[in-house]
Amino acid sequence: MPDKSEHVAIVGAGLVGSLLSIYLAKRGYLVSVFERRADLRKEKSDAGRSINLALSARGILALEELGLAANLKKEAVPMHGRMMHNTQGGLSFLPYGMQGQFINSISRSGLTMVLMNEAEKRGVKYYFDHRCLTVDLNKTEITVQTAATVQNIITSTHSFDLIIGTDGAFSAVRGALQLTDRFNFLQEYIDHGYKELHIPPGPAGEFQLEKNALHIWPRESFMMIALPNPDGSFTCTLFFPWEGTPSFQSLTSSESVTEFFTKTFPDAIRLMPSYLDDFTSKPASSLVSVKCWPWVKNKTLILGDAAHAILPFYGQGMNAGFEDCRILNHLLDQHKDTLDPALSEFQKLRKPDTDAIAQLAEDNFVEMRDLVADAEFLLRKKIEAKLHALYPEKWIPLYSMVTFYDQVRYSEAYAIGCRQKEIMDNVMKAPDINTNWELLDFKEIASQL
């Protein structure tokens, strides 16, 4: 166990920072968490920020290690697959995995508050309204802004044994690393943004769509999704181009918005009485990915979105961040809390995995908006499901490997998925595959992997 006097600063009090603070407090470190925003337990959450997330095996495993998973899963809504909505309102369902496998729709703010409360029980100190201005990588010091007046900005500087940045895609801690020699950094925005919409509960508080599904309205160049909330409502997110036709730029009047939604999402708008007001009043947010290297300098580390922000289309952003925390904790075990080798091994181990899940998330956007309504794609998934049912240890679909098999590294899943794609590309070339797919030699196909 580390000496009780060893003091760790975590910059960023979101999901990953709060979970990490619990791990470190449990190890015996003194932990101080600095957050530029107010305490969300006392303030309303950010407008336009998704209120629910997809919690799956990797995130659950970290919560289980801390004894937090059971109670949180009670507050989650299981989603067993994707429910696709076509332009005529027709439905088709694609299971995520085998019977009993599902992901969980869970409240972002609710989960964050649970983690904050648990951290404080373990002695973690939170400092809200403390903006990180600078990080001195040589002295392991942070300077924070605590208040501002017309005359001056009030700041304070604090020294630590370790600084960890979990302050998101626009990390102030990473900003200090970026000023160092031989630091590689790539930030990319995609051509789509997103806007949050809402489906309320029915008159009796009931779910107005299938409760245990993630709903998708795939429309080729864009899509809308809806995740269930425990109160019977659904949080909808429209992923939409910034420019072109249609786009956020082109829908500038109430008439154009109404015409677009009526034509594009006819079954959804009957359940969305506030869609026009939501679309015109709520801000559109951008979608960014971040890659960088190295993640460690002296006694300063970044992880979670600060090190590897990814697009949201595989539902793995939070889960990957939680996995960061779990793996760092295990490496501290292995190295008996000797920081230098633990941090060095952590970044080398995680970088290939976070690069892999970033690529998978990018690829999955195309799949979700373009392919889930495609007959050949659905047949392909049906064949893969049959392979998995017949040879469950030999052929595990890529989505299942990433989402349900927490002991398979992202980089391993990606490599296996590339090989599966090669095999399936050849399978789909078989004559009359649409009518004869059940006559395929599934044993031979599985043996190729």
Side-chain angles (χ1 to χ4, degrees):
M1 292 284 284
D3 186 285
K4 280 285 187 181
S5 65
E6 285 194 281
H7 197 172
V8 180
I10 294 177
V11 179
L15 290 163
V16 173
S18 293
L19 185 81
L20 182 60
S21 75
I22 299 170
Y23 268 116
L24 294 177
K26 190 178 178 185
R27 299 192 70 82
Y29 290 96
L30 294 172
V31 184
S32 296
V33 181
F34 297 88
E35 170 57 50
R36 66 183 179 87
R37 298 184 180 90
D39 188 343
L40 66 76
R41 293 169 293 185
K42 302 172 184 175
E43 301 282 332
K44 282 193 170 184
S45 61
D46 291 351
R49 190 88 186 272
S50 172
I51 64 169
N52 49 12
L53 298 158
L55 176 66
S56 56
R58 296 170 198 270
I60 291 169
L61 183 58
L63 294 171
E64 284 176 343
E65 287 189 348
L66 296 170
L68 299 172
N71 286 335
L72 283 166
K73 283 196 281 189
K74 291 177 186 174
E75 303 299 318
V77 181
M79 297 183 292
H80 295 272
R82 300 166 171 171
M83 184 71 79
M84 278 74 73
H85 298 244
N86 66 25
T87 51
Q88 287 75 47
L91 302 176
S92 57
F93 183 74
L94 185 64
Y96 280 132
M98 300 183 76
Q99 186 72 27
Q101 290 181 324
F102 55 86
I103 61 177
N104 300 273
S105 177
I106 192 165
S107 162
R108 175 194 291 272
S109 59
L111 177 52
T112 305
M113 288 189 278
V114 167
L115 295 178
M116 285 179 176
N117 291 336
E118 180 66 21
E120 287 183 334
K121 283 182 196 173
R122 293 181 179 270
V124 174
K125 301 294 185 184
Y126 279 87
Y127 298 90
F128 296 100
D129 297 306
H130 280 59
R131 178 189 293 271
C132 178
L133 296 179
T134 62
V135 179
D136 189 320
L137 301 171
N138 295 316
K139 295 180 180 178
T140 321
E141 290 181 346
I142 64 170
T143 298
V144 293
Q145 176 185 325
T146 53
T149 65
V150 175
Q151 288 78 22
N152 66 328
I153 294 173
I154 301 169
T155 65
S156 57
T157 300
H158 310 268
S159 297
F160 298 92
D161 298 290
L162 175 64
I163 297 168
I164 304 179
T166 58
D167 47 339
F170 305 102
S171 167
V173 180
R174 189 189 64 237
L177 295 175
Q178 286 174 236
L179 298 176
T180 62
D181 188 35
R182 298 175 63 207
F183 185 86
N184 294 315
F185 174 68
L186 176 64
Q187 171 182 288
E188 289 186 298
Y189 288 92
I190 65 170
D191 294 333
H192 291 67
Y194 70 93
K195 187 168 287 203
E196 187 182 293
L197 307 169
H198 184 66
I199 293 176
E206 74 276 14
F207 288 89
Q208 299 197 75
L209 296 170
E210 166 56 44
K211 171 184 177 181
N212 298 120
L214 188 154
H215 295 262
I216 306 179
W217 290 259
R219 298 297 184 262
E220 295 188 355
S221 66
F222 59 90
M223 68 175 179
M224 185 170 72
I225 67 171
L227 275 72
N229 296 306
D231 66 356
S233 68
F234 287 82
T235 299
C236 303
T237 308
L238 175 65
F239 296 101
F240 206 45
W242 288 107
E243 298 168 341
T245 305
S247 66
F248 287 123
Q249 183 186 60
S250 70
L251 299 183
T252 55
S253 66
S254 297
E255 292 77 18
S256 62
V257 174
T258 301
E259 180 182 0
F260 168 76
F261 273 86
T262 302
K263 179 182 177 181
T264 312
F265 307 117
D267 62 329
I269 64 166
R270 292 194 292 270
L271 311 175
M272 303 168 71
S274 64
Y275 81 90
L276 181 58
D277 182 58
D278 288 342
F279 188 91
T280 54
S281 65
K282 290 187 176 181
S285 300
S286 57
L287 292 162
V288 67
S289 62
V290 168
K291 292 180 182 178
C292 65
W293 182 261
W295 299 353
V296 178
K297 179 74 172 179
N298 300 337
K299 291 294 193 293
T300 297
L301 164 72
I302 52 173
L303 53 72
D305 282 356
H308 51 77
I310 65 174
L311 299 175
F313 304 116
Y314 225 101
Q316 286 296 306
M318 172 185 66
N319 294 290
F322 281 10
E323 191 172 63
D324 280 353
C325 299
R326 183 179 65 82
I327 289 173
L328 178 60
N329 184 61
H330 286 193
L331 290 172
L332 289 170
D333 277 342
Q334 290 176 24
H335 293 282
K336 296 181 169 39
D337 289 285
T338 306
L339 292 177
D340 287 349
L343 301 186
S344 178
E345 186 175 347
F346 171 76
Q347 64 171 350
K348 290 173 184 173
L349 186 67
R350 287 301 283 165
K351 175 65 172 169
D353 291 331
T354 57
D355 284 351
I357 191 58
Q359 186 62 53
L360 287 168
E362 187 177 325
D363 295 344
N364 208 43
F365 182 33
V366 177
E367 177 176 307
M368 291 175 75
R369 78 181 193 215
D370 296 2
L371 300 178
V372 290
D374 179 77
E376 182 178 310
F377 172 81
L378 295 174
L379 175 58
R380 190 180 185 117
K381 291 297 182 184
K382 195 180 291 185
I383 294 169
E384 286 206 71
K386 181 76 176 274
L387 282 164
H388 186 39
L390 292 172
Y391 306 100
E393 301 302 318
K394 186 75 174 173
W395 189 288
I396 304 171
L398 175 59
Y399 185 89
S400 294
M401 275 190 286
V402 170
T403 307
F404 304 121
Y405 290 76
D406 49 59
Q407 299 304 318
V408 179
R409 293 178 60 180
Y410 287 130
S411 54
E412 294 170 348
Y414 181 72
I416 295 168
C418 289
R419 177 62 183 141
Q420 288 176 333
K421 183 179 184 302
E422 290 176 7
I423 295 168
M424 287 302 300
D425 285 346
N426 287 327
V427 168
M428 297 305 292
K429 294 175 184 175
D432 302 316
I433 185 71
N434 291 320
T435 53
N436 295 333
W437 70 271
E438 291 184 275
L439 302 178
L440 290 167
D441 187 343
F442 288 97
K443 184 176 182 180
E444 191 277 331
I445 296 170
S447 71
Q448 295 178 48
L449 192 59

